[in-house]
Amino acid sequence: MTGPILRGNAAVAAVAESLGFLIPLNELPAEAVVDCALVVKVDWFGPDATSGGVFVGLDRGLAEALAGNLLGRMPGEAVTAEEIAETACELANVISGNLLPSLYGTDHEFHLQSPYLLPAVDPGGRREAVLQFLEGQLLVALETVPDNSRILRRAVGSPEFGL
Amino acid sequence: MAYTVLVVDDSRIMRDMVSRAVTMSGLDISSVDTAGDGRQALEKLRAGWFDLVLLDVNMPVMTGEQFLVALRADVALRDTLVVVVSTESSVPRIARLRDLGAGFVHKPFRAEELVTAVRQLLDTPRIERTQP
């Protein structure tokens, strides 16, 4: 891979493995093109009136494999479009719950809203994780609001930002 | 003793997963029912007996934390065993949930973690569960 390792890769990989039984093969560059068949957004509210969203995009192969694994289906057994969407939403929910404290610390309270599907396009935002699996690709991006970063970075006191 | 379990989560997928996990956990489970939010869970608890509630936190209508506060305020239900099963990582929020007498398992979880949390609750005298 090229470029720095995205800071959310570890948290996202851990969730994919533990929840979806999906083992990442590689970390991809932040600018990698991912053919998102599904994009899920989870809106969140945090401390000091911060808010934002986590975007989770999956290509078709990964979305189908995730659904099969979460639903306990046999290899080759069909999953419906509704099941694929529901399992992608659940993955996005658990990724969001694990990613935000991994980025900003566990002193904050993040209130997650119910996940929902977006039109399947590149979601934009600041990429926090891009991973390659045997079954396909996954990207996770954060909706960026300047005030959020200022407040949350200050609260965490991350040395990365000289605070 | 065989336990009756109520799984509370707004995600159908997660309700199914948690139900499967507790059924195959090795705990003596006689039945598993589900609810989609805290309010529905309270209605089910008032209508029938459940020994154990496995509870999500972030839910519409009534959150897991609001549910726990209401449960502990209800004389008939206040001693119900509750294990929170959530992505929650906030240290202050987890502390509040524990102060309300709940065990805690972080999502994603392994079945053994669920069993450990339930057994810890069962081993804790009732008076200590809600009085940290």
Side-chain angles (χ1 to χ4, degrees):
Chain A
M1 66 168 280
T2 60
I5 292 173
L6 293 171
R7 39 184 203 159
N9 275 346
V12 172
V15 170
E17 188 170 345
S18 300
L19 181 73
F21 310 108
L22 298 163
I23 314 294
L25 299 176
N26 294 309
E27 298 168 311
L28 296 176
E31 65 276 12
V33 176
V34 177
D35 181 17
C36 294
L38 280 175
V39 176
V40 180
K41 187 179 183 192
V42 178
D43 293 317
W44 56 267
F45 302 97
D48 296 327
T50 52
S51 63
V54 177
F55 299 101
V56 176
L58 307 88
D59 70 11
R60 173 64 57 187
L62 192 68
E64 288 179 351
L66 173 73
N69 289 354
L70 281 187
L71 297 168
R73 299 286 164 78
M74 300 299 288
E77 196 177 345
V79 288
T80 67
E82 185 184 2
E83 288 171 333
I84 290 172
E86 276 190 271
T87 50
C89 284
E90 192 50 44
L91 177 72
N93 183 45
V94 179
I95 283 176
S96 301
N98 284 269
L99 177 66
L100 292 170
S102 83
L103 296 177
Y104 298 124
T106 55
D107 291 342
H108 303 304
E109 292 187 31
F110 294 103
H111 301 271
L112 305 182
Q113 307 302 296
S114 296
Y116 56 95
L117 291 173
L118 291 177
V121 293
D122 185 319
R126 187 182 68 217
R127 291 193 173 187
E128 299 291 354
V130 188
L131 295 168
Q132 175 73 54
F133 298 79
L134 182 64
E135 300 84 353
Q137 295 176 330
L138 169 70
L139 76 81
V140 179
L142 206 58
E143 192 172 52
T144 53
V145 179
D147 273 359
N148 284 353
S149 299
R150 181 172 52 79
I151 292 167
L152 292 169
R153 283 172 186 172
R154 178 178 297 148
V156 173
S158 167
E160 183 184 350
F161 303 103
L163 299 168
Chain B
M1 172 187 168
Y3 296 101
T4 51
V5 180
L6 182 62
V7 176
V8 189
D9 199 305
D10 57 324
S11 161
R12 180 182 70 86
I13 299 291
M14 194 51 76
R15 288 197 298 272
D16 290 350
M17 285 186 67
V18 174
S19 297
R20 281 205 306 270
V22 74
T23 302
M24 299 189 302
S25 66
L27 294 168
D28 191 1
I29 305 296
S30 61
S31 68
V32 179
D33 197 357
T34 61
D37 60 61
R39 184 178 299 170
Q40 197 179 76
L42 279 176
E43 288 168 4
K44 290 208 171 191
L45 283 160
R46 285 171 180 145
W49 177 263
F50 291 92
D51 300 299
L52 172 66
V53 176
L54 301 177
L55 178 70
D56 187 23
V57 173
N58 287 301
M59 293 183 288
V61 184
M62 179 184 271
T63 68
E65 189 170 355
Q66 291 168 332
F67 164 85
L68 261 176
V69 170
L71 186 80
R72 297 310 185 210
D74 187 316
V75 174
L77 302 176
R78 65 191 315 163
D79 293 330
T80 307
L81 294 176
V82 179
V83 174
V84 171
V85 183
S86 170
T87 61
E88 187 62 55
S89 296
S90 157
V91 170
R93 202 173 192 196
I94 292 172
R96 288 203 304 274
L97 296 167
R98 289 195 185 281
D99 286 350
L100 287 163
F104 187 83
V105 174
H106 190 265
K107 282 183 194 168
F109 66 92
R110 290 175 292 125
E112 310 90 83
E113 295 172 284
L114 193 59
V115 172
T116 300
V118 171
R119 293 212 163 117
Q120 278 175 349
L121 270 189
L122 292 172
D123 291 343
T124 306
R126 191 181 64 184
I127 189 73
E128 290 178 21
R129 281 188 214 131
T130 50
Q131 294 185 0

